[in-house]
Every structure is written in C-alpha cells, then in structure tokens.
Amino acid sequence: MANLRINGRVWLEAQERFFGIGRMELLERIQQTGSINQAAKEMKMSYKRAWELVQSMNSQADAPLVSTQTGGERGGGAVVTEEGLKYLTYYRGLQERFQQFLAQEIHHLPV
C-alpha cells in the first residue's frame, strides 16, 4: 500500500454549492478577459453554463461577485467586483491550506 495518496476537494456552500475550484477559475478568467463569454470559451464551457454559475454565485452572496454591462461601444462585458475579489483571495488561501493539510495527513496513514 506504499502508493496510497489522500485526495479531496473543498468548496463553500450556502443554499447550494457557492464557490469551488471551477468557479474560482471562472472568476479569474472573467477578471482577465472582461467577458463571461470569453471566459467560458477558454474553459471549454458553454456560455449558458458560465452564466448560470455567475447567477448562482451572485444570488447567494451578500453582494454580486460579477457585474455585467450590456451593449455600449465595446459590446458590454463583465467585471469581478470587490466582493468577488474577496472570495477569490479567500478561496485561493483555503485551497493552499487544504493542500497543506492533505500533504501533512499522509504521514498519519496506518502503513
């Protein structure tokens, strides 16, 4: 059993899943591209799915994580809000701490 590993995922929940690794990546890509559509394309995800994830996060949070603007000169876009940045920062740290926990926990296996 020398090849045993400990693996897992961690996410935040409210009424339903609120924030996890996929939603973190979506927000990061929205932040980079300024577009939900472009972020979805980069993740090989449908725009509809990306929009549903954004709406889910926005509806469960105290304040929107993503703000959208339609039309205009540049054809609209999306911006990760201050609230969204707070969750990105928190979740990155949570992921790091979780990975450290998994790395330390391997030493406690009854091998």
Side-chain angles (χ1 to χ4, degrees), residues 22-107:
R23 294 172 194 226
M24 179 185 76
E25 183 180 351
L26 180 60
L27 258 60
E28 288 173 337
R29 290 180 188 256
I30 291 170
Q31 186 179 27
Q32 293 164 359
T33 64
S35 164
I36 295 171
N37 189 36
Q38 192 61 41
K41 285 179 183 175
E42 287 183 6
M43 293 179 70
K44 297 180 179 21
M45 175 189 298
S46 73
Y47 173 78
K48 182 180 185 296
R49 178 68 180 142
W51 179 247
E52 287 170 350
L53 292 174
V54 167
Q55 284 185 309
S56 172
M57 289 184 285
N58 280 352
S59 69
Q60 293 183 79
D62 291 334
L65 276 55
V66 176
S67 174
T68 58
Q69 190 172 24
T70 56
E73 274 180 34
R74 297 178 7 195
V79 175
V80 177
T81 65
E82 285 297 318
E83 188 80 357
L85 293 174
K86 285 193 315 192
Y87 279 100
L88 274 175
T89 300
Y90 172 77
Y91 191 79
R92 285 181 192 127
L94 177 62
Q95 269 297 108
E96 192 174 301
R97 292 186 302 278
F98 185 63
Q99 291 305 314
Q100 289 170 358
F101 164 77
L102 294 177
Q104 292 170 0
E105 195 60 30
I106 194 80
H107 301 294

Side-chain angles (χ1 to χ4, degrees), residues 7-26:
N7 202 350
R9 289 184 178 212
V10 62
W11 57 87
L12 306 175
E13 290 183 348
Q15 296 97 333
E16 55 190 52
R17 187 167 294 190
F18 171 64
F19 206 90
I21 195 94
R23 294 172 194 226
M24 179 185 76
E25 183 180 351
L26 180 60

